[in-house]
Amino acid sequence: MMKIKRNAALFAASAAVLSLAVPLTSASASTADNARPPHLDWTKCQGTGLDPRQECATIEVPMDYADPHGKKITLAFSRIPAENPKTRRGALFMIPGGPGGGSLDQPSGKGQKLPQEVRDTYDLIGFDPRGYGLSSPVSCDVERSDLARTKLLPWPAPDGSVTQTMATARRMSEACARNGGQLIRHISTANEARDLDRIRAALGERKISAWGVSYGTYVGAVYNELFPYRTDRFVLDSNDNPDHIRVQRAWLAAFEVGVEDNFPEFAKWASQPGNPERVAGTPAEVRRLFLHLAARLDREPLPWPGANPEELNGNVFRQTMLDSLYDPDDYPALAKLILAAQKGTVPPAPHAPPEPVLQNVTAVSAATLCNDVAWPRSAAGYEKEVAENRAKFPLTAGMPRNATVCAAWPYTPKEPAVRITDRGPSTVLMVQNRRDVATPLSGALKLREALGRRAVMVTVNSTGHEAYLANGNACGDRTVSHFLATGKRPSRDIACD
């Protein structure tokens, strides 16, 4: 998939075992483990730039796991076989972020960044989650204006009003009800975990290992909860808060902390002498300048032909800031926008993915966010939280506490969200950057606490979203690679400075 922040970052993200999860001691679980795997018709994968060794297959799974003999949907997945058959251990599932992202091409992409000893050990497995990409896809066919970044993340009006946000939520929800079909009601994190277990069975694996990133850490944690004894070595990278009451509301709220954790790093960079994109003399001046320009653009937007919306307003400016904090390599884009806005000009309009891709991502993201847990519907409640956020966290101007499409979602969750616990085998290694705008350390510590003895956590002194083989460091990368290759973890939580 093309690089979209947090695999779209479209919204910032109960019993321990759900009633629909198959207990490991049940007859059906035993049958799934002992039955001969179905024949898989491996074919050349679609797309360009793929490793010639990557091959693709599909299976059918229940659209509704409560009705296992009812309507079926298709799941698409891929693999690159382990490079050394003599040392092969099993399958490493690459669980994508999002929600609204896929990993079908990742065995050819980030999978090839894995060290040789890991690629020798595992078949690398990618997949498109239900509703996405080459798996049975969904679309809400929302209005093009509602695909704007400042609509998909719920930025309030310049005065803090949520009236337009609530109207957007109703409009998008109505489009999803009208155009999303039956499948949109059955897209959820728990069902994605169940789908992964069907792929596991189809591959003939008794257990799987995994590398889950961002939202993929929540999927991985849910899989661990539903199918604990089918887990081998699980790496959870850039970790979500697993709060089973708030779920994605907590992920959205995390941006208020994540931005404050990361903006100082941008401000230091943007005030360095000799930096060709230097915007001010000190980090404090960078912050003041950013807030001043955002307020000015609230009052006096600049025309921006070709963008969506076709103006540079305060919220577009803030959204560009948030996007740029995902990766220090993107700091220059924000600095150039600041310098242009100071002069009353704009850079070329940013490139947007094709509209069908955005429609698909938006539908899967909305369905997952809204089907996992019910959101409040009171505009007054959001208005209050937005006002509090704007006063305490001016950089994010109330967005992390505002209403998403879920505030008007036409369906109720079909089951409680999964509660992550410390019950089960100790198979998890968490890796986390200290400064991460989308999945801040504070949220990762909540997952670490929930997993208890099941996990060990590696905290790396790095900035950006994604840690292992991305914005991590040699100590963190070495620790994770050693665990995947040998199964050996540190005996306790460690910090890689």
Side-chain angles (χ1 to χ4, degrees):
M1 179 185 172
M2 73 295 298
K3 183 178 180 183
I4 304 177
K5 297 301 184 182
R6 204 181 183 218
N7 289 315
L10 300 176
F11 302 93
S14 129
V17 179
L18 300 177
S19 60
L20 295 183
V22 182
L24 294 174
T25 56
S26 72
S28 54
S30 175
T31 300
D33 279 341
N34 295 330
R36 180 178 300 173
H39 171 75
L40 294 176
D41 183 16
W42 292 102
T43 61
K44 180 179 174 61
C45 295
Q46 300 179 24
T48 59
L50 299 178
D51 190 300
R53 298 170 298 169
Q54 182 174 307
E55 51 192 0
C56 286
T58 61
I59 58 171
E60 288 190 337
V61 300
M63 181 176 70
D64 181 357
Y65 279 96
D67 182 16
H69 301 295
K71 185 174 181 179
K72 300 295 192 290
I73 61 171
T74 297
L75 297 178
F77 54 99
S78 63
R79 74 174 176 185
I80 292 180
E83 295 183 19
N84 186 347
K86 293 182 179 179
T87 60
R88 181 189 181 278
R89 180 179 179 86
L92 178 69
F93 280 51
M94 306 181 75
I95 307 179
S103 64
L104 196 69
D105 295 346
Q106 287 186 6
S108 292
K110 64 189 293 184
Q112 297 310 300
K113 296 180 181 179
L114 290 163
Q116 188 66 52
E117 63 266 29
V118 177
R119 290 184 282 117
D120 284 346
T121 304
Y122 298 103
D123 297 346
L124 304 181
I125 306 297
F127 67 99
D128 278 349
R130 59 171 51 207
Y132 177 80
L134 295 182
S135 294
S136 297
V138 294
S139 174
C140 293
D141 195 21
V142 301
E143 296 178 11
R144 181 180 180 276
S145 62
D146 288 334
L147 296 173
R149 302 281 289 136
T150 48
K151 293 287 188 68
L152 297 175
L153 280 174
W155 295 94
D159 64 356
S161 168
V162 306
T163 301
Q164 288 303 313
T165 308
M166 295 296 289
T168 299
R170 289 190 294 270
R171 187 169 56 249
M172 294 180 68
S173 292
E174 289 167 1
C176 288
R178 185 169 58 250
N179 304 318
Q182 289 180 281
L183 177 54
I184 205 159
R185 302 190 64 180
H186 300 281
I187 295 173
S188 68
T189 302
N191 279 342
E192 182 171 335
R194 296 177 182 116
D195 291 343
L196 290 183
D197 203 57
R198 291 298 180 105
I199 297 174
R200 171 203 62 79
L203 292 170
E205 301 291 337
R206 187 173 64 87
K207 294 183 176 183
I208 61 170
S209 294
W211 175 15
V213 179
S214 194
Y215 166 69
T217 64
Y218 184 57
V219 177
V222 169
Y223 186 91
N224 267 266
E225 198 67 36
L226 300 184
F227 307 102
Y229 295 99
R230 294 176 186 163
T231 63
D232 189 9
R233 300 168 184 171
F234 266 58
V235 172
L236 304 184
D237 174 355
S238 306
N239 298 270
D240 272 316
N241 183 337
D243 185 337
H244 66 288
I245 302 298
R246 301 183 74 229
V247 192
Q248 291 89 346
R249 289 182 64 212
W251 305 348
L252 186 66
F255 278 123
E256 65 192 22
V257 175
V259 167
E260 292 292 346
D261 287 348
N262 283 264
F263 192 88
E265 298 300 308
F266 166 75
K268 285 189 291 186
W269 173 89
S271 59
Q272 288 177 351
N275 181 348
E277 276 89 31
R278 190 185 194 196
V279 302
T282 68
E285 290 172 354
V286 173
R287 183 184 179 97
R288 284 195 297 271
L289 175 60
F290 178 84
L291 291 171
H292 168 75
L293 287 172
R296 191 179 82 185
L297 291 166
D298 281 337
R299 298 187 302 270
E300 303 170 2
L302 297 172
W304 204 356
N308 185 14
E310 290 199 328
E311 66 177 26
L312 175 59
N313 58 40
N315 284 338
V316 171
F317 190 63
R318 296 179 184 100
Q319 180 65 55
T320 304
M321 174 270 296
L322 189 152
D323 286 345
S324 299
L325 295 183
Y326 274 77
D327 187 340
D329 288 345
D330 293 335
Y331 287 173
L334 175 58
K336 289 175 181 176
L337 186 62
I338 291 173
L339 293 170
Q342 275 186 293
K343 300 173 184 176
T345 63
V346 294
H351 172 73
E355 183 169 326
V357 173
L358 284 178
Q359 291 283 4
N360 185 209
V361 168
T362 298
V364 174
S365 180
T368 308
L369 300 181
C370 306
N371 290 335
D372 271 7
V373 66
W375 287 52
R377 292 180 174 265
S378 166
Y382 290 113
E383 200 98 38
K384 180 176 182 292
E385 289 202 44
V386 164
E388 293 171 352
N389 177 269
R390 287 165 66 84
K392 191 173 181 179
F393 301 100
L395 289 171
T396 46
M399 181 275 293
R401 299 285 176 167
N402 204 359
T404 69
V405 61
C406 302
W409 195 243
Y411 311 115
T412 57
K414 289 184 172 292
E415 56 185 321
V418 177
R419 182 174 183 175
I420 306 303
T421 74
D422 61 358
R423 295 190 292 274
S426 185
T427 58
V428 177
L429 180 65
M430 299 171 61
V431 59
Q432 179 70 34
N433 288 337
R434 287 194 180 278
R435 295 166 297 278
D436 185 327
V437 69
T439 55
L441 179 59
S442 54
L445 290 172
K446 295 290 187 181
L447 180 58
R448 175 68 187 90
E449 179 183 9
L451 288 169
R453 63 174 186 80
R454 300 183 69 184
V456 172
M457 182 165 167
V458 179
T459 306
V460 299
N461 188 21
S462 298
T463 301
H465 187 52
E466 300 189 23
Y468 179 47
L469 304 180
N471 294 303
N473 60 24
C475 165
D477 291 348
R478 183 170 59 248
T479 303
V480 175
S481 295
H482 188 65
F483 169 63
L484 287 174
T486 69
K488 296 179 181 178
R489 298 180 306 182
S491 59
R492 59 183 182 277
D493 293 356
I494 65 169
C496 283
D497 292 324

